[in-house]
Amino acid sequence: MRPFAYERAADARSAVAARAAGAADGAGAVYLGGGTNLVDLMRLGVVSPGVLVDVTRLPSDGVEETAGGGLLIGAAMRNSDLAAHPLVRRRYPMLTQAVVAGASGQIRNMATVGGNLLQRTRCSYFQDVTKPCNKRAPGSGCPARNGDHRNLAVIGQSEACVATHPSDMAVPLAALGAVVHIEGPGGARQVPMPGLHRLPGDTPERDTVLEPGDLITAVELPPLPFAARSRYRKVRDRASFAFAVVSVAAALDVEDGMVKDCRIALGGVAHIPWRAERAESALRGSPATEAAFAQAAAEELAQATPLPHNAFKVPLARNVVVRTLLDLVEAS
């Protein structure tokens, strides 16, 4: 591991300034949250920053109610604290379920909300510096396309990259239409989800729309009363500490047997947390039945272009969507 300097920021503006100073010196400065992804990549030699700006002590580590009835979650909040927060558990249970499904207890105790969102979209080739990878070394190629791609993307991938975004937490945030608050060299701004993460296209090295020096300070959850009846379901190769093969975050508002409104997002299938907008549109005004759920899921997954060894994800995703929606109907 390359030697690096360490700085601890007291607030968002000082963090942005420290990161800018490190970049100006040519050292390559990055923000450090819990380090559960960054430190691993440093040890592997995938990244070698010269300066780490610690943002875990910023005064943005709690949950506040917003005027409209939503929640504002500080980016420095630990994942375990987020999952246990009573307002999150009561109003947005799929978010609690996703965070708990995301990693071991030890990692959740370290990982932050902002860091979880910004963990690298990756596959095994990205983490192996002896292999080519367009995300790590642009233009070097994507060996996963003809290699090990069983658990990689089936929607939205490109010739340049077929990696999947690994965050569980990001899936319900995309379903809910969360808004990410950012502080950067140009000031404060907000980015909606979906919209924070990028599809790979020809530039897979850029995972998000963030500009150099941008710092996530908070995530805002909109008021959505029917999200209190929501669920996150994750299919994985082993019972714990594994990335999703397919996951679904869903909230369903049913009145008189008809779908009044819904929110659905998929994980484990794309380079980004995938908002199932086609399925949502198909379901609104439809009967809350297994047949309607299956048809909506099929419409969403019609755009899938799987590779030879991950085509099984398409029917799996369809079945998980249907089962999750049926569970919500039965629980209502």
Side-chain angles (χ1 to χ4, degrees), residues 275-298:
R275 179 73 174 265
E277 294 176 347
R278 294 186 186 182
E280 291 179 1
S281 179
L283 280 175
R284 293 187 183 103
S286 297
T289 63
E290 182 173 354
F293 297 157
Q295 178 60 34

Side-chain angles (χ1 to χ4, degrees), residues 308-332:
H309 300 144
N310 65 4
F312 73 95
K313 281 194 173 191
V314 178
L316 176 61
R318 181 185 64 242
N319 293 342
V320 177
V321 168
V322 172
R323 184 66 260 169
T324 304
L325 294 175
L326 285 173
D327 285 350
L328 289 172
V329 172
E330 292 167 4
S332 63

Side-chain angles (χ1 to χ4, degrees), residues 86-228:
L87 289 178
V88 175
R89 292 170 62 91
R90 184 165 65 249
R91 297 184 189 178
Y92 309 94
M94 64 178 169
L95 180 54
T96 286
Q97 293 162 11
V99 173
V100 171
S104 67
Q106 294 91 334
I107 289 179
R108 292 196 298 271
N109 287 339
M110 288 294 296
T112 63
V113 169
N116 187 301
L117 282 177
L118 295 182
Q119 60 181 297
R120 295 303 307 268
T121 303
R122 59 196 187 271
C123 73
S124 59
Y125 295 101
F126 172 75
Q127 298 185 120
D128 185 349
V129 295
T130 68
K131 301 290 194 302
C133 171
N134 286 322
K135 184 176 289 291
R136 177 170 30 81
S140 61
C142 178
R145 293 191 63 85
N146 295 311
D148 181 12
H149 55 249
R150 176 185 176 274
N151 202 27
L152 301 185
V154 297
I155 302 177
Q157 71 272 31
S158 70
E159 290 292 324
C161 183
V162 295
T164 47
H165 193 273
S167 171
D168 289 279
M169 183 186 76
V171 182
L173 292 182
L176 291 166
V179 176
V180 180
H181 293 237
I182 297 164
E183 187 77 32
R189 73 182 198 281
Q190 299 177 7
V191 174
M193 290 184 67
L196 175 66
H197 301 94
R198 298 176 66 256
L199 290 175
D202 295 329
T203 54
E205 67 274 15
R206 288 195 63 197
D207 289 344
T208 72
V209 300
L210 297 187
E211 298 296 334
D214 280 350
L215 173 68
I216 293 178
T217 57
V219 176
E220 184 174 350
L221 303 182
L224 192 69
F226 71 88

Side-chain angles (χ1 to χ4, degrees), residues 235-253:
V235 177
R236 47 189 164 183
D237 285 334
R238 58 180 185 269
S240 65
F241 198 39
F243 292 151
V245 177
V246 169
S247 66
V248 173
L252 193 63
D253 187 8

